[in-house]
Short mmCIF file of all heavy atoms in Angstrom, two decimals:
data_model
loop_
_atom_site.label_atom_id
_atom_site.label_comp_id
_atom_site.label_asym_id
_atom_site.label_seq_id
_atom_site.Cartn_x
_atom_site.Cartn_y
_atom_site.Cartn_z
N LEU A 259 -24.18 0.25 -9.73
CA LEU A 259 -22.79 0.51 -9.54
C LEU A 259 -22.26 -1.07 -9.37
O LEU A 259 -22.94 -1.91 -8.70
CB LEU A 259 -22.56 1.19 -8.24
CG LEU A 259 -21.05 1.55 -7.88
CD1 LEU A 259 -20.54 2.43 -8.99
CD2 LEU A 259 -21.05 2.24 -6.61
N ALA A 260 -21.04 -1.35 -9.97
CA ALA A 260 -20.59 -2.69 -9.84
C ALA A 260 -19.86 -2.84 -8.43
O ALA A 260 -19.97 -1.82 -7.72
CB ALA A 260 -19.53 -2.80 -10.97
N ARG A 261 -19.48 -3.95 -8.19
CA ARG A 261 -19.01 -4.28 -6.77
C ARG A 261 -17.67 -3.61 -6.41
O ARG A 261 -17.54 -3.09 -5.21
CB ARG A 261 -18.67 -5.87 -6.65
CG ARG A 261 -18.08 -6.24 -5.25
CD ARG A 261 -18.15 -7.57 -5.08
NE ARG A 261 -17.64 -7.77 -3.60
CZ ARG A 261 -17.47 -8.97 -3.12
NH1 ARG A 261 -17.83 -10.08 -3.77
NH2 ARG A 261 -16.90 -9.01 -1.99
N TYR A 262 -16.71 -3.31 -7.41
CA TYR A 262 -15.48 -2.81 -7.11
C TYR A 262 -15.21 -1.39 -7.77
O TYR A 262 -15.74 -1.21 -8.84
CB TYR A 262 -14.33 -3.67 -7.36
CG TYR A 262 -14.30 -4.89 -6.49
CD1 TYR A 262 -14.76 -6.09 -6.85
CD2 TYR A 262 -13.70 -4.84 -5.17
CE1 TYR A 262 -14.69 -7.28 -6.24
CE2 TYR A 262 -13.56 -5.90 -4.49
CZ TYR A 262 -14.08 -7.18 -4.94
OH TYR A 262 -13.98 -8.29 -4.16
N SER A 263 -14.47 -0.58 -7.13
CA SER A 263 -13.85 0.58 -7.88
C SER A 263 -12.44 0.48 -7.56
O SER A 263 -12.01 -0.05 -6.47
CB SER A 263 -14.42 1.90 -7.20
OG SER A 263 -15.74 2.09 -7.38
N PHE A 264 -11.66 0.74 -8.59
CA PHE A 264 -10.18 0.57 -8.46
C PHE A 264 -9.51 1.76 -8.54
O PHE A 264 -9.84 2.68 -9.34
CB PHE A 264 -9.76 -0.33 -9.58
CG PHE A 264 -10.26 -1.70 -9.58
CD1 PHE A 264 -11.26 -2.05 -10.42
CD2 PHE A 264 -9.84 -2.78 -8.75
CE1 PHE A 264 -11.89 -3.38 -10.34
CE2 PHE A 264 -10.42 -3.99 -8.60
CZ PHE A 264 -11.48 -4.24 -9.53
N ILE A 265 -8.41 2.02 -7.70
CA ILE A 265 -7.71 3.26 -7.64
C ILE A 265 -6.25 2.91 -7.50
O ILE A 265 -5.73 2.08 -6.89
CB ILE A 265 -8.08 3.96 -6.30
CG1 ILE A 265 -9.78 4.23 -6.31
CG2 ILE A 265 -7.38 5.23 -6.17
CD1 ILE A 265 -10.19 4.26 -4.82
N GLY A 266 -5.48 3.84 -8.18
CA GLY A 266 -4.00 3.64 -8.24
C GLY A 266 -3.34 5.00 -8.51
O GLY A 266 -3.79 5.84 -9.19
N ALA A 267 -2.13 5.19 -8.09
CA ALA A 267 -1.37 6.29 -8.18
C ALA A 267 0.19 5.94 -8.22
O ALA A 267 0.53 4.87 -7.62
CB ALA A 267 -1.58 7.48 -7.15
N ASP A 268 0.91 6.72 -8.86
CA ASP A 268 2.41 6.49 -8.99
C ASP A 268 2.84 5.05 -9.54
O ASP A 268 3.15 4.27 -8.74
CB ASP A 268 3.09 6.78 -7.65
CG ASP A 268 2.96 8.21 -7.20
OD1 ASP A 268 2.98 9.07 -8.11
OD2 ASP A 268 2.72 8.39 -6.10
N PRO A 269 2.57 4.77 -10.77
CA PRO A 269 2.86 3.42 -11.26
C PRO A 269 4.36 2.97 -11.28
O PRO A 269 5.28 4.01 -11.13
CB PRO A 269 2.23 3.46 -12.70
CG PRO A 269 2.33 5.02 -13.08
CD PRO A 269 2.09 5.78 -11.84
N GLU A 270 4.56 1.84 -11.26
CA GLU A 270 6.12 1.33 -11.34
C GLU A 270 6.69 1.87 -12.69
O GLU A 270 7.81 2.39 -12.58
CB GLU A 270 6.11 -0.18 -11.30
CG GLU A 270 5.86 -0.73 -10.04
CD GLU A 270 6.93 -0.42 -8.93
OE1 GLU A 270 8.06 -0.63 -9.37
OE2 GLU A 270 6.55 0.07 -7.91
N PHE A 271 5.88 1.82 -13.83
CA PHE A 271 6.43 2.33 -15.02
C PHE A 271 5.29 2.61 -15.97
O PHE A 271 4.16 2.19 -15.70
CB PHE A 271 7.55 1.53 -15.78
CG PHE A 271 6.99 0.18 -16.14
CD1 PHE A 271 6.55 -0.04 -17.47
CD2 PHE A 271 7.08 -0.88 -15.38
CE1 PHE A 271 6.17 -1.27 -18.01
CE2 PHE A 271 6.67 -2.18 -15.74
CZ PHE A 271 6.21 -2.45 -17.07
N VAL A 272 5.49 3.46 -17.01
CA VAL A 272 4.54 3.90 -17.92
C VAL A 272 5.12 3.43 -19.33
O VAL A 272 6.27 3.66 -19.64
CB VAL A 272 4.27 5.42 -17.88
CG1 VAL A 272 3.21 5.74 -19.03
CG2 VAL A 272 3.75 5.74 -16.54
N LEU A 273 4.23 2.85 -20.06
CA LEU A 273 4.59 2.23 -21.37
C LEU A 273 3.73 2.96 -22.43
O LEU A 273 2.47 3.10 -22.32
CB LEU A 273 4.21 0.79 -21.37
CG LEU A 273 4.43 -0.03 -22.58
CD1 LEU A 273 5.95 -0.18 -22.83
CD2 LEU A 273 3.91 -1.43 -22.43
N GLY A 274 4.42 3.36 -23.51
CA GLY A 274 3.67 4.00 -24.66
C GLY A 274 4.34 3.69 -25.92
O GLY A 274 5.46 3.28 -25.89
N GLY A 275 3.52 3.47 -26.96
CA GLY A 275 4.20 3.18 -28.21
C GLY A 275 3.29 2.91 -29.42
O GLY A 275 1.95 3.19 -29.25
N ASN A 276 3.58 2.09 -30.26
CA ASN A 276 2.96 1.82 -31.40
C ASN A 276 3.38 0.51 -32.04
O ASN A 276 4.03 -0.44 -31.28
CB ASN A 276 2.98 2.92 -32.46
CG ASN A 276 4.40 3.28 -32.88
OD1 ASN A 276 5.28 2.39 -33.03
ND2 ASN A 276 4.73 4.53 -33.24
N TYR A 277 3.30 0.29 -33.29
CA TYR A 277 3.58 -1.01 -34.03
C TYR A 277 5.12 -1.03 -34.17
O TYR A 277 5.61 -2.15 -34.40
CB TYR A 277 2.86 -1.09 -35.38
CG TYR A 277 3.01 -2.38 -36.08
CD1 TYR A 277 2.21 -3.51 -35.55
CD2 TYR A 277 3.74 -2.64 -37.07
CE1 TYR A 277 2.38 -4.73 -36.10
CE2 TYR A 277 3.80 -3.89 -37.77
CZ TYR A 277 3.24 -4.83 -37.24
OH TYR A 277 3.25 -6.15 -37.78
N HIS A 278 5.79 0.08 -34.13
CA HIS A 278 7.28 0.10 -34.39
C HIS A 278 8.02 0.24 -33.15
O HIS A 278 9.26 -0.25 -33.28
CB HIS A 278 7.59 1.28 -35.55
CG HIS A 278 6.62 1.17 -36.70
ND1 HIS A 278 7.02 0.17 -37.69
CD2 HIS A 278 5.60 1.85 -37.00
CE1 HIS A 278 6.05 0.34 -38.56
NE2 HIS A 278 5.17 1.34 -38.40
N GLN A 279 7.71 0.99 -32.34
CA GLN A 279 8.46 1.19 -31.10
C GLN A 279 7.82 1.29 -29.79
O GLN A 279 6.56 1.63 -29.85
CB GLN A 279 9.34 2.41 -31.40
CG GLN A 279 8.73 3.78 -31.32
CD GLN A 279 9.46 4.85 -31.49
OE1 GLN A 279 10.66 4.78 -31.78
NE2 GLN A 279 9.00 6.16 -31.26
N VAL A 280 8.57 1.14 -28.66
CA VAL A 280 7.90 1.27 -27.31
C VAL A 280 8.83 2.18 -26.52
O VAL A 280 10.10 2.18 -26.56
CB VAL A 280 7.90 -0.11 -26.75
CG1 VAL A 280 7.49 -0.11 -25.23
CG2 VAL A 280 6.98 -1.03 -27.50
N THR A 281 8.20 2.99 -25.67
CA THR A 281 8.88 3.91 -24.74
C THR A 281 8.54 3.44 -23.37
O THR A 281 7.26 3.23 -23.08
CB THR A 281 8.58 5.32 -24.93
OG1 THR A 281 8.91 5.66 -26.29
CG2 THR A 281 9.41 6.18 -23.99
N VAL A 282 9.52 3.05 -22.54
CA VAL A 282 9.23 2.68 -21.13
C VAL A 282 9.95 3.77 -20.24
O VAL A 282 11.06 4.01 -20.23
CB VAL A 282 9.91 1.32 -20.83
CG1 VAL A 282 9.69 0.92 -19.37
CG2 VAL A 282 9.41 0.23 -21.82
N ALA A 283 8.95 4.44 -19.47
CA ALA A 283 9.36 5.44 -18.61
C ALA A 283 9.22 4.99 -17.02
O ALA A 283 8.08 4.74 -16.70
CB ALA A 283 8.53 6.79 -18.80
N THR A 284 10.19 5.10 -16.33
CA THR A 284 10.21 4.91 -14.87
C THR A 284 10.48 6.26 -14.27
O THR A 284 10.60 7.12 -14.86
CB THR A 284 11.36 3.80 -14.34
OG1 THR A 284 12.59 4.38 -14.65
CG2 THR A 284 11.10 2.51 -15.18
N LYS A 285 10.52 6.22 -12.88
CA LYS A 285 10.75 7.52 -12.18
C LYS A 285 12.06 8.07 -12.52
O LYS A 285 12.21 9.23 -12.52
CB LYS A 285 10.68 7.25 -10.68
CG LYS A 285 9.28 6.95 -10.25
CD LYS A 285 9.23 6.64 -8.77
CE LYS A 285 7.84 6.16 -8.36
NZ LYS A 285 7.72 5.75 -7.06
N ASN A 286 13.11 7.19 -12.94
CA ASN A 286 14.44 7.73 -13.10
C ASN A 286 14.95 7.56 -14.49
O ASN A 286 16.17 8.01 -14.74
CB ASN A 286 15.34 6.95 -12.09
CG ASN A 286 15.01 7.05 -10.73
OD1 ASN A 286 14.57 8.25 -10.25
ND2 ASN A 286 15.15 5.96 -9.90
N ASN A 287 14.31 7.00 -15.39
CA ASN A 287 14.79 6.54 -16.63
C ASN A 287 13.81 6.43 -17.75
O ASN A 287 12.53 6.17 -17.49
CB ASN A 287 15.52 5.22 -16.52
CG ASN A 287 16.40 4.85 -17.66
OD1 ASN A 287 16.84 5.81 -18.41
ND2 ASN A 287 16.61 3.68 -17.89
N VAL A 288 14.14 6.79 -18.98
CA VAL A 288 13.30 6.62 -20.11
C VAL A 288 14.03 5.75 -21.21
O VAL A 288 15.18 6.16 -21.52
CB VAL A 288 12.74 7.88 -20.78
CG1 VAL A 288 11.90 7.64 -22.11
CG2 VAL A 288 11.91 8.71 -19.72
N GLU A 289 13.49 4.69 -21.61
CA GLU A 289 14.13 3.84 -22.68
C GLU A 289 13.15 3.56 -23.83
O GLU A 289 12.05 3.53 -23.57
CB GLU A 289 14.53 2.47 -22.07
CG GLU A 289 15.67 2.59 -21.07
CD GLU A 289 16.12 1.18 -20.56
OE1 GLU A 289 16.72 0.46 -21.47
OE2 GLU A 289 15.80 0.72 -19.53
N LYS A 290 13.80 3.43 -24.99
CA LYS A 290 13.11 3.14 -26.26
C LYS A 290 13.58 1.85 -26.71
O LYS A 290 14.76 1.64 -26.80
CB LYS A 290 13.25 4.25 -27.29
CG LYS A 290 12.58 5.58 -26.83
CD LYS A 290 12.51 6.65 -28.08
CE LYS A 290 11.91 7.81 -27.54
NZ LYS A 290 10.85 8.25 -28.29
N PHE A 291 12.55 1.09 -27.27
CA PHE A 291 12.88 -0.24 -27.84
C PHE A 291 12.26 -0.32 -29.16
O PHE A 291 11.09 0.18 -29.45
CB PHE A 291 12.34 -1.39 -26.82
CG PHE A 291 12.94 -1.34 -25.60
CD1 PHE A 291 12.21 -0.76 -24.42
CD2 PHE A 291 14.09 -2.00 -25.30
CE1 PHE A 291 12.75 -0.80 -23.24
CE2 PHE A 291 14.62 -1.94 -23.94
CZ PHE A 291 13.92 -1.26 -22.96
N SER A 292 13.00 -0.92 -30.09
CA SER A 292 12.49 -1.15 -31.53
C SER A 292 11.65 -2.47 -31.61
O SER A 292 12.14 -3.48 -32.09
CB SER A 292 13.65 -1.20 -32.41
OG SER A 292 14.21 0.11 -32.50
N THR A 293 10.43 -2.38 -30.99
CA THR A 293 9.69 -3.63 -31.08
C THR A 293 8.14 -2.96 -30.97
O THR A 293 7.95 -1.84 -30.45
CB THR A 293 9.90 -4.58 -29.94
OG1 THR A 293 8.94 -5.65 -30.02
CG2 THR A 293 9.56 -3.96 -28.48
N SER A 294 7.12 -3.91 -31.41
CA SER A 294 5.90 -3.38 -31.20
C SER A 294 5.34 -3.41 -29.77
O SER A 294 5.94 -4.23 -28.89
CB SER A 294 4.90 -4.09 -32.10
OG SER A 294 4.74 -5.44 -31.40
N LEU A 295 4.43 -2.44 -29.48
CA LEU A 295 3.94 -2.47 -28.17
C LEU A 295 3.22 -3.78 -27.66
O LEU A 295 3.39 -4.29 -26.66
CB LEU A 295 3.08 -1.27 -27.93
CG LEU A 295 2.61 -1.07 -26.40
CD1 LEU A 295 2.68 0.43 -26.16
CD2 LEU A 295 1.14 -1.60 -26.32
N LEU A 296 2.57 -4.33 -28.61
CA LEU A 296 1.91 -5.64 -28.43
C LEU A 296 2.94 -6.69 -28.14
O LEU A 296 2.69 -7.56 -27.14
CB LEU A 296 1.06 -5.98 -29.61
CG LEU A 296 0.03 -7.08 -29.46
CD1 LEU A 296 -0.96 -6.58 -28.29
CD2 LEU A 296 -0.84 -7.25 -30.74
N ASP A 297 3.98 -6.75 -28.89
CA ASP A 297 5.08 -7.82 -28.61
C ASP A 297 5.61 -7.61 -27.19
O ASP A 297 5.91 -8.55 -26.49
CB ASP A 297 6.11 -7.85 -29.61
CG ASP A 297 5.49 -8.47 -31.01
OD1 ASP A 297 4.64 -9.22 -30.88
OD2 ASP A 297 6.22 -8.13 -32.02
N TYR A 298 5.86 -6.35 -26.71
CA TYR A 298 6.41 -5.92 -25.54
C TYR A 298 5.48 -6.55 -24.40
O TYR A 298 5.92 -7.10 -23.43
CB TYR A 298 6.61 -4.44 -25.34
CG TYR A 298 7.35 -4.17 -24.13
CD1 TYR A 298 8.70 -3.94 -24.03
CD2 TYR A 298 6.67 -3.90 -22.88
CE1 TYR A 298 9.39 -3.67 -22.87
CE2 TYR A 298 7.32 -3.54 -21.73
CZ TYR A 298 8.74 -3.44 -21.77
OH TYR A 298 9.35 -3.17 -20.70
N LEU A 299 4.02 -6.12 -24.61
CA LEU A 299 3.11 -6.68 -23.58
C LEU A 299 3.04 -8.28 -23.53
O LEU A 299 3.03 -8.72 -22.43
CB LEU A 299 1.69 -6.12 -23.92
CG LEU A 299 1.45 -4.59 -23.76
CD1 LEU A 299 0.06 -4.21 -24.43
CD2 LEU A 299 1.65 -4.21 -22.33
N ARG A 300 3.22 -8.82 -24.64
CA ARG A 300 3.15 -10.37 -24.60
C ARG A 300 4.39 -10.86 -23.78
O ARG A 300 4.21 -11.77 -22.93
CB ARG A 300 3.18 -10.89 -26.03
CG ARG A 300 1.92 -10.78 -26.73
CD ARG A 300 1.97 -11.50 -28.18
NE ARG A 300 0.80 -11.40 -28.86
CZ ARG A 300 0.70 -10.92 -30.11
NH1 ARG A 300 1.68 -10.60 -30.75
NH2 ARG A 300 -0.46 -10.83 -30.71
N GLY A 301 5.56 -10.34 -24.08
CA GLY A 301 6.76 -10.82 -23.39
C GLY A 301 6.70 -10.36 -21.88
O GLY A 301 6.97 -11.31 -21.12
N HIS A 302 6.13 -9.31 -21.54
CA HIS A 302 6.05 -8.93 -20.19
C HIS A 302 5.06 -9.77 -19.30
O HIS A 302 5.37 -10.38 -18.34
CB HIS A 302 5.53 -7.52 -19.98
CG HIS A 302 5.44 -6.98 -18.60
ND1 HIS A 302 6.43 -6.59 -17.78
CD2 HIS A 302 4.24 -7.00 -17.85
CE1 HIS A 302 5.88 -6.37 -16.46
NE2 HIS A 302 4.70 -6.42 -16.56
N PHE A 303 3.96 -10.07 -19.89
CA PHE A 303 2.84 -10.76 -19.19
C PHE A 303 3.25 -12.40 -19.31
O PHE A 303 2.73 -13.12 -18.49
CB PHE A 303 1.52 -10.46 -19.68
CG PHE A 303 1.02 -9.26 -19.15
CD1 PHE A 303 0.84 -8.20 -19.97
CD2 PHE A 303 0.95 -8.97 -17.83
CE1 PHE A 303 0.38 -6.98 -19.61
CE2 PHE A 303 0.53 -7.75 -17.39
CZ PHE A 303 0.14 -6.75 -18.20
N ALA A 304 4.14 -12.86 -20.18
CA ALA A 304 4.36 -14.24 -20.27
C ALA A 304 5.28 -14.53 -19.01
O ALA A 304 5.45 -15.76 -18.71
CB ALA A 304 5.17 -14.58 -21.56
#
């Protein structure tokens, strides 16, 4: 067994998508964007 186990529940938001579009779902809202999921991730983490 490795040193850590990680646990989480109720994320801030859930992201799903593909090369053409991204869906961002929060507790209160769902939005779609015309960008690749990879580009969305790059922008978020930058």
